[in-house]
């Protein structure tokens, strides 16, 4: 027997959909207007963006930065949170407190402090976006990645899975990679999605550190061209969602089903 959907739920769903899609529709209609007359409809604004060399340069840079940030964050936080849940549970409140710091410290304060702190670092790190910006983005993504992974680890029995895997002769690397990771893949993907959205939309740190990323390009277009600004905003939205969807598909295809250990049944 199928459950009936409450009318109130349908109403709230329609309200949420309208709240989400009406601004996008308005932006789309604005982006289709002609530059000379302001009348609809033309794709000239999208052509202006697509044929702009800086668009492709900045979107490539931000995409690489997002991938680097996701990989480094997962390599740092997955083993750390696993160790905390397995052997150092008393450190969880401390790490949770540290994860809240990026919410408290404004990005403009963070970037000024980081620029001063890293000014004596090697040139390849301080003067390159793949070094300095990635380090800053890992800090910004810390709370999102931590709380996502922490929720994933709390949803599984870390001790039982680890003991079963070790008793069957698996190494610590095998236990983490083939037993623990498949069971927290949803949490890892959620943290990766949030990290991707942060990097693709972060403007303050990139601007103050004089790096030209995709968000700074969007801001430049917003300041100089009206209709192309609406077009690039919609394209940014679509690119972010497409990247998140591809990350989800790749993650599901490579990880597979959650691992089961015979000793835990």
């Amino acid at each position: 027997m199928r459950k009936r959907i409450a009318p109130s739920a349908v109403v709230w769903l329609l309200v949420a959909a309208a709240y989400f899609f009406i601004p996008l529709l308005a932006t789309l209609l604005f982006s289709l207007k002609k530059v000379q007359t302001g009348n609809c409809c033309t794709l000239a604004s999208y052509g202006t963006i697509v044929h702009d060399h800086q668009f492709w340069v900045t979107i490539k840079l931000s995409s690489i930065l997002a991938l680097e940030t996701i990989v480094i964050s997962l390599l740092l936080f997955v083993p750390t949170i696993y160790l905390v849940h397995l052997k150092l549970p008393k450190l969880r409140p401390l790490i949770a407190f540290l994860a809240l710091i990026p919410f408290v410290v404004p990005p403009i304060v963070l970037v000024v402090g980081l620029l001063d702190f890293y000014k004596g670092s090697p040139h390849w790190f301080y003067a390159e976006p793949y070094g300095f910006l990635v380090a800053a983005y890992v800090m910004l993504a810390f709370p999102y990645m931590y709380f996502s992974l922490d929720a994933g680890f709390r949803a599984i029995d870390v001790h039982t899975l680890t003991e079963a895997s070790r008793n069957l002769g698996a190494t610590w690397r095998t236990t983490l990679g083939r037993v623990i990771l498949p069971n927290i893949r949803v949490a890892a993907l959620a943290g990766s999605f949030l990290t991707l959205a942060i990097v693709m939309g972060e403007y303050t740190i990139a601007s103050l550190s004089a790096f030209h990323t995709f968000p700074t390009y969007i801001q430049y277009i917003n300041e100089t061209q009206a209709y192309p600004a609406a077009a690039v905003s919609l394209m940014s939205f679509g690119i972010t969602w497409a990247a998140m969807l591809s990350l989800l598909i790749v993650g599901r295809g490579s990880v597979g089903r959650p691992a089961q250990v015979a000793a835990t049944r």
Side-chain angles (χ1 to χ4, degrees), residues 208-227:
L208 292 181
S209 55
F211 292 117
H212 300 291
T213 60
F214 188 52
T216 61
Y217 173 78
I218 294 177
Q219 179 61 25
Y220 169 77
I221 297 298
N222 286 334
E223 292 177 351
T224 57
Q225 305 178 61
Y227 301 130

Side-chain angles (χ1 to χ4, degrees), residues 142-220:
F142 178 23
Y144 304 95
M145 187 66 75
Y146 169 75
F147 287 115
S148 297
L149 292 174
D150 183 64
F153 276 100
R154 282 187 296 171
I156 64 176
D157 192 341
V158 176
H159 292 85
T160 302
L161 289 174
T162 301
E163 290 176 5
S165 176
R166 296 288 292 166
N167 290 337
L168 292 173
T171 62
W172 285 107
R173 180 181 299 179
T174 302
T175 300
L176 179 60
R178 302 189 64 178
V179 177
I180 300 300
L181 277 179
N183 285 279
I184 63 164
R185 71 182 188 279
V186 175
L189 287 173
S192 300
F193 293 158
L194 294 172
T195 302
L196 175 65
I198 291 170
V199 176
M200 297 301 293
E202 200 289 318
Y203 169 78
T204 303
I205 295 178
S207 177
L208 292 181
S209 55
F211 292 117
H212 300 291
T213 60
F214 188 52
T216 61
Y217 173 78
I218 294 177
Q219 179 61 25
Y220 169 77

Side-chain angles (χ1 to χ4, degrees), residues 47-60 217:
T48 301
I49 299 299
V50 170
H51 290 90
D52 189 350
H53 177 67
Q54 286 301 313
F55 169 78
W56 297 105
V57 171
T58 55
I59 194 65
K60 177 182 177 181
Y217 173 78

Side-chain angles (χ1 to χ4, degrees), residues 73 76-104 138-139 141-151 153:
S73 297
L76 285 176
F77 298 136
V78 169
T80 301
I81 300 174
Y82 173 55
L83 179 63
V84 169
H85 277 263
L86 185 63
K87 295 185 177 181
L88 303 170
K90 293 184 179 180
L91 291 182
R92 278 186 58 199
L94 176 60
I95 299 179
F97 172 77
L98 294 176
L100 295 175
I101 294 179
F103 288 143
V104 179
V138 169
M139 296 179 189
F142 178 23
Y144 304 95
M145 187 66 75
Y146 169 75
F147 287 115
S148 297
L149 292 174
D150 183 64
F153 276 100

